[in-house]
Amino acid sequence: MKTFASSISKVFYGTLIHSRSIKEIEYIKQGLLFIDDQGKIAKLVKGVAHDKVDASLEGVASEKVVHLHQGQFIIPGFIDTHIHAPQYTFCGNGHDLPLLEWLDTYTFPRESKFQDAEYARKLYTKSVARSLRNGTTSACWFATIHLDACKELVNIIQEQGQRAYVGKVNMNQNSPDFLVETTESSVRDTRAFIDYVKEVNTGNNSPLVTPIITPRFAISCDSELLTELGKLAAEYDLPIQSHLCENLNEIGFTMSLFPNSANYTSVYADHGLLNDRTIMAHCVHMKDEELDLMKEKNAGISHCANSNFNLKSGMADVRKMLNKDIKVGLGTDVAGGYSPSILEALRSSRTASVARNMETSLIVAELFYLATVGGARVMELDDKIGNFEVGKEFDAILVNTQVENTPMDVFDHDSVETQFEKYLFVGDDRNNEKIYVQGKEVRLPGAIAAPRK
C-alpha cells in the first residue's frame, strides 16, 4: 500500500516566500515543503528547528531533503501572461517607433520567416529557454499564423518543460501580403492546431500545454473570422488572448472597422471572445464602461508596462483595475518589451504606477502578487499554481542571492526580507539557480538539469 513517505519525491527545508494575498507576503523560515510524485505540494510545515528536521519527515528518506543555505530561498515561478515567441529574434530593437509603425517595420517581416518550420525550431528553442531561465514557469505565448511552426513551438515547450498556453495567431485583413490568411484557412489551421495539441496531450492527466484562441487584434481579423474563433473557443472550451486598447491610433482604427460596437472591448464581447478565460494584453486606454465590462465578464488583463513605455503607448491604470477587482497579471510582451524577464516587468510596473500617481502606487507585496498569483488568476489556474498552498502543483524558482557573478550584494545587516526585495529589484536570471515545473527541474538547452521523470 502506498504511504505518505513513499509518495514524496522531494522535500525542501529552508526559507519559502509566497503571497498569501495581494497585500501580504509570507516569509516562511525553517519551512519543510513536501512535494509528491505527481509534482504537487503534499504538505507544508512551518518553523521546524534544524534538530527537528529528521523527526518531522514522517518516514521520508533523508536523502530526499534539499537543505537551503542562508542565501537561498524558494518562491513560486513567475507567470508571463503575454509574450510573443517569434519576436524574441528582435528583442531590444525598434523602440524608436510607435506600435503600428513598429509592427510594419520589424514584427511582420520577421514573423513571415516562420513559414520555415526548421527556422522556427531553431529560434523557438532559444525563445523558450530564455523565458525559462528568467524564472517564467508559465507563459501565454503568441506564435504566428504558420501551422507547422506552431507545432514546433508546442514540441519545444514540451521538451523544455514549461507550462504554457500557445496560440496560433489569426490574421485575415489589414496585414501584409506575405503574412495574411483567408478566413477559411485561418479557421482550418486553428482547428488543426487545437487537434494537434490534444493529440500531444493524449494520456497525460496533467498536460503542460494548452491551445489558446489568438486573434492578433481586432484590426487584423474581420467580423466573420472573429465570430468563427469565438465558436471554436466555445466548442473546445479554450482560453482566448488578444490585444486591447494599447495605443490611441489602434483604438481609432479599430472603431472605424467595427462601428456597430459600443467600444473596443465590446468588439470582442460582440463576437463571443470575452469571458472568464479571456486574457487581454495592455488595456492602457480603457473607458470606465470597458473596465466594467471586463469585470462583468470576469476577463483578465496582462499589464505590460515595459512595452507600453518602449512603444510610447501610455501607462495603464492598474490601481483602478485592482480597485474594481479585475484580474491582473504581468506580461513581458517581448519584443515590445525589451526583456523576457518578469522581474523587469515588475520593475516597469512599479515605475508606471509611481508616474501615474505617487500616492496610490503599487507596493512590493502587490507587485510580487501580480507576478505570481495574479498571473495564475488571469490564466484561470489559481487552483493549480501561484503560491505554496497544499494541493497546488510545485512551480518554483530556487533563488540564490550569493551565486557566483551575482548582480546583487548581500551584507551582514540584510534579513531574508531585504534579500528578497533586492532580488526583485536588482537580481536577474543568474540568481535563478534551479527552475521547477510540476515538481521537476526543467531541462534547458546546454544546461545540466535533472531529467523530468
Side-chain angles (χ1 to χ4, degrees):
M1 186 177 71
K2 195 169 189 178
T3 64
F4 175 78
S6 65
S7 72
I8 299 302
S9 64
K10 195 181 297 289
V11 181
F12 294 92
Y13 175 68
T15 299
L16 315 168
I17 304 171
H18 70 156
S19 289
R20 290 280 300 265
S21 72
I22 194 167
K23 296 291 189 181
E24 180 188 359
I25 298 173
E26 182 177 25
Y27 298 88
I28 302 169
K29 300 166 186 177
Q30 296 183 315
L32 271 178
L33 191 65
F34 294 78
I35 312 302
D36 68 20
D37 52 16
Q38 301 301 308
K40 294 183 178 181
I41 298 169
K43 189 173 185 178
L44 172 58
V45 185
K46 305 174 185 179
V48 181
H50 290 279
D51 59 356
K52 302 294 184 183
V53 171
D54 288 344
S56 302
L57 291 178
E58 300 188 37
V60 177
S62 58
E63 56 265 25
K64 292 184 177 180
V65 181
V66 177
H67 291 264
L68 306 182
H69 63 64
Q70 191 173 4
Q72 293 176 313
F73 50 82
I74 291 178
I75 63 173
F78 294 132
I79 299 173
D80 190 342
T81 55
H82 186 68
I83 181 169
H84 293 260
Q87 294 182 20
Y88 181 62
T89 61
F90 58 96
C91 188
N93 298 143
H95 294 147
D96 51 344
L97 295 176
L99 173 66
L100 298 181
E101 292 177 46
W102 179 81
L103 289 171
D104 288 334
T105 305
Y106 290 92
T107 302
F108 295 152
R110 276 290 158 197
E111 288 195 8
S112 70
K113 294 183 178 296
F114 284 78
Q115 62 187 312
D116 181 341
E118 185 176 342
Y119 174 87
R121 165 161 278 277
K122 179 180 177 182
L123 274 297
Y124 281 156
T125 296
K126 293 183 178 181
S127 185
V128 176
R130 184 64 64 184
S131 174
L132 275 166
R133 283 193 186 98
N134 278 283
T136 297
T137 53
S138 298
C140 297
W141 292 101
F142 277 59
T144 65
I145 65 174
H146 311 102
L147 177 58
D148 289 341
C150 292
K151 292 178 179 179
E152 288 294 340
L153 179 56
V154 169
N155 297 340
I156 288 161
I157 290 169
Q158 292 274 35
E159 291 164 10
Q160 295 191 21
Q162 189 179 52
R163 187 188 305 274
Y165 287 176
V166 181
K168 189 211 91 59
V169 171
N170 303 99
M171 305 166 63
N172 77 335
Q173 68 172 6
N174 297 311
S175 306
D177 292 342
F178 54 81
L179 196 70
V180 69
E181 309 166 288
T182 65
T183 302
E184 181 183 10
S185 67
S186 186
V187 174
R188 182 191 65 234
D189 286 354
T190 300
R191 185 181 291 277
F193 176 68
I194 294 166
D195 290 339
Y196 177 78
V197 179
K198 287 178 64 179
E199 181 182 346
V200 168
N201 289 337
T202 300
N204 189 340
N205 293 326
S206 188
L208 287 175
V209 180
T210 300
I212 182 169
I213 299 298
T214 308
R216 183 174 212 112
F217 55 176
I219 288 174
S220 68
C221 300
D222 66 16
S223 184
E224 181 184 6
L225 179 54
L226 290 176
T227 298
E228 290 303 313
L229 293 176
K231 291 177 181 177
L232 278 178
E235 176 185 344
Y236 288 95
D237 188 24
L238 293 178
I240 300 158
Q241 64 180 354
S242 194
H243 300 83
L244 176 62
C245 293
E246 179 178 359
N247 171 286
L248 292 174
N249 289 335
E250 168 213 8
I251 295 170
F253 191 7
T254 300
M255 294 316 300
S256 73
L257 296 171
F258 299 91
N260 294 327
S261 292
N263 49 57
Y264 193 168
T265 306
S266 294
V267 171
Y268 294 110
D270 293 344
H271 292 88
L273 292 166
L274 197 69
N275 57 43
D276 62 349
R277 301 194 72 190
T278 298
I279 303 167
M280 286 295 169
H282 305 297
C283 299
V284 176
H285 304 284
M286 299 282 280
K287 301 174 183 176
D288 284 345
E289 55 264 34
E290 290 182 279
L291 289 174
D292 291 340
L293 181 57
M294 292 289 287
K295 174 58 182 174
E296 176 190 332
K297 298 291 187 178
N298 197 27
I301 293 173
S302 176
H303 176 45
C304 306
N306 189 314
S307 171
N308 299 154
F309 280 132
N310 293 334
L311 299 180
K312 299 176 279 293
S313 299
M315 297 179 291
D317 193 345
V318 176
R319 177 60 66 203
K320 179 182 283 189
M321 297 170 186
L322 295 178
N323 287 344
K324 289 179 175 287
D325 194 29
I326 296 171
K327 297 179 299 187
V328 182
L330 302 184
T332 60
D333 192 29
V334 167
Y338 59 71
S339 171
S341 169
I342 285 292
L343 287 174
E344 287 290 346
L346 179 152
R347 295 161 191 168
S348 295
S349 298
R350 167 66 175 163
T351 301
S353 72
V354 171
R356 281 197 64 92
N357 189 326
M358 288 186 287
E359 299 302 318
T360 62
S361 59
L362 299 173
I363 63 173
V364 170
E366 293 172 317
L367 293 164
F368 182 52
Y369 178 93
L370 294 179
T372 54
V373 180
R377 291 185 66 218
V378 166
M379 293 180 73
E380 284 289 303
L381 293 176
D382 50 313
D383 60 331
K384 288 187 176 182
I385 57 174
N387 59 15
F388 297 141
E389 291 180 1
V390 172
K392 291 190 177 183
E393 297 182 9
F394 183 67
D395 290 10
I397 308 168
L398 195 165
V399 176
N400 187 347
T401 62
Q402 299 174 14
V403 72
E404 185 178 359
N405 294 323
T406 178
M408 54 185 288
D409 291 310
V410 176
F411 300 93
D412 291 342
H413 65 261
D414 276 314
S415 62
V416 168
E417 291 82 357
T418 61
Q419 287 189 62
F420 171 66
E421 285 195 21
K422 283 186 175 182
Y423 167 71
L424 292 183
F425 290 99
V426 185
D428 62 24
D429 60 300
R430 287 169 287 184
N431 298 112
N432 299 336
E433 191 167 356
K434 294 182 185 295
I435 313 292
Y436 297 90
V437 177
Q438 282 186 345
K440 303 174 181 67
E441 189 176 342
V442 301
R443 297 189 300 267
L444 296 178
I448 299 173
R452 292 181 60 84
K453 297 179 180 178

